Amino acid sequence: MIEIKKALPEQLDRLIEIEQMVFPPEEAAVKETFAYRMEKYPYWFRSAKIGEGIVGYICGIPVEAGPDGGIHDAMYEASSYPSGDTFAILTIGVDSAQQRKGIGELLVRTMIFLCKEAGMKRVILACKEEKLDWYSRFGFEKMGPSASEHGGAVWYDMELCL
C-alpha cells in the first residue's frame, strides 16, 4: 500500500537520493533546497512510502502568477514564504525501481486534492516535452514554452484550472 504523507526531516537524505536519481545534476535540487522547502512550507512537501521505504515525493509552493502565468526560475529558489492562489509544482520524483506502479499518479492527484482544499484557483508546472502527455492525463493543458531555463533544459508550462 502506498502512503502519501508530509515529508519529514529524517527523510531528507532519501528524498535527495531519489531527486538525484531521476534528474540530471544540472537540474536536481540540492539538499539545502529540499531542507528549506521542508522547513518553510511543510504542508506542500509530501513523500510516498511503501512499507518503511520512501519511494517518491512531490513539492511545490503557492505563488502569485506572473504576467504569462507560467513557471519562472525564481520560484525554485523562493526566499520567503510564498503566497497566492496559484500553486506551482516544483518537483516530483519516484525511485526508478518503483516507477510505473501508480506512485507518481497518486502524488499528483494528492497535490491536486490539497490545492482544491486550500482554495487554489489553478496548478502550474514546467515539464519536458516527453512528460506533456503524462500530465495531460490529470487535466493539465499545455500553455507553451516556459520562461524557465532551469538546468539549461527546454521546459513547457502546463496549467490545471481548479
Side-chain angles (χ1 to χ4, degrees):
M1 182 171 114
I2 305 165
E3 290 182 89
I4 309 293
K5 294 189 175 183
K6 285 184 190 176
L8 303 172
E10 57 267 22
Q11 299 170 341
L12 184 58
D13 287 338
R14 175 65 176 138
L15 297 171
I16 283 296
E17 180 183 334
I18 296 170
E19 173 84 353
Q20 293 170 349
M21 178 187 304
V22 298
F23 289 101
E26 60 275 5
E27 296 171 18
V30 296
K31 189 174 184 176
E32 293 77 17
T33 300
F34 269 23
Y36 177 84
R37 292 175 186 170
M38 205 177 285
E39 175 191 341
K40 297 297 183 185
Y41 30 95
Y43 184 77
W44 300 111
F45 203 133
R46 300 290 167 144
S47 63
K49 191 173 172 182
I50 297 178
E52 293 303 310
I54 300 300
V55 295
Y57 60 87
I58 189 169
C59 71
I61 55 173
V63 296
E64 294 289 343
D68 66 0
I71 296 287
H72 295 272
D73 288 338
M75 292 175 183
Y76 292 102
E77 305 301 330
S79 58
S80 62
Y81 188 84
S83 63
D85 62 3
T86 296
F87 186 79
I89 294 176
L90 299 177
T91 189
I92 177 174
V94 175
D95 184 309
S96 53
Q98 298 293 328
Q99 291 179 1
R100 306 202 188 292
K101 296 181 180 179
I103 298 165
E105 179 177 347
L106 187 55
L107 285 163
V108 171
R109 291 195 187 284
T110 297
M111 196 58 79
I112 291 169
F113 174 81
L114 294 172
C115 288
K116 286 178 181 177
E117 247 189 4
M120 297 290 165
K121 303 282 188 238
R122 59 198 276 267
V123 181
I124 60 174
L125 59 86
C127 68
K128 293 183 180 170
E129 188 171 18
E130 62 267 17
K131 295 292 185 185
L132 291 169
D133 287 342
W134 190 77
Y135 283 109
S136 69
R137 293 183 0 200
F138 306 104
F140 283 90
E141 295 181 6
K142 181 180 172 185
M143 297 168 61
S146 180
S148 175
E149 297 176 343
H150 181 73
V154 175
W155 301 94
Y156 294 89
D157 285 330
M158 298 192 83
E159 76 173 332
L160 172 66
C161 294
L162 302 176

